[in-house]
Amino acid sequence: MVAVRSWYDRGDDSMIGGGATVRGCKILIAEDEREIADLLRDYLEDHQFEALVSEDGEEALRMFRERSPQLALLDVMLPKLDGMEVCRAIRSESSIP
């Protein structure tokens, strides 16, 4: 959450990677525990981010490719593909944080 806070605390619409602005940027949340995913989603949406939530690694990778988020928050222990596998796949296609 440090990267998200530092973007938000700037208080402007400064550009971030991929030409998106801070306000409304898409953040992928890959978390299989519903309570944690809901907490993260609510926090991000309260601060004007668009939260994309997936419950497993395959869905997270599909959402990444279809929705082009500017940031990914990955749980390490995800079903189907673990967070490290998802991270490696994303890193082979993108340099998002």
Side-chain angles (χ1 to χ4, degrees):
M1 298 305 294
V2 172
V4 173
R5 283 303 311 172
S6 65
W7 284 347
Y8 182 76
D9 289 340
R10 289 164 73 165
D12 62 15
D13 282 336
S14 300
M15 299 299 281
I16 58 173
T21 59
V22 173
R23 303 276 190 269
C25 86
K26 291 180 275 193
I27 299 176
L28 174 63
I29 301 166
E31 174 58 66
D32 59 326
E33 291 188 41
R34 177 52 50 192
E35 297 81 18
I36 295 172
D38 289 345
L39 179 69
L40 289 168
R41 184 198 65 234
D42 292 347
Y43 178 85
L44 293 170
E45 289 177 349
D46 284 349
H47 291 88
Q48 287 110 37
F49 294 97
E50 180 182 348
L52 311 171
V53 179
S54 65
E55 296 182 355
D56 65 62
E58 288 179 358
E59 182 183 29
L61 202 48
R62 180 185 53 76
M63 290 178 84
F64 167 76
R65 290 175 175 148
E66 291 175 1
R67 305 289 304 276
S68 301
Q70 286 79 38
L71 177 71
L73 302 175
L74 305 173
D75 181 9
V76 174
M77 296 181 64
L78 291 169
K80 298 184 181 176
L81 289 175
D82 69 39
M84 296 305 290
E85 292 173 290
V86 174
C87 185
R88 279 191 285 277
I90 289 174
R91 282 281 173 245
S92 74
E93 302 172 28
S94 174
S95 63
I96 68 165

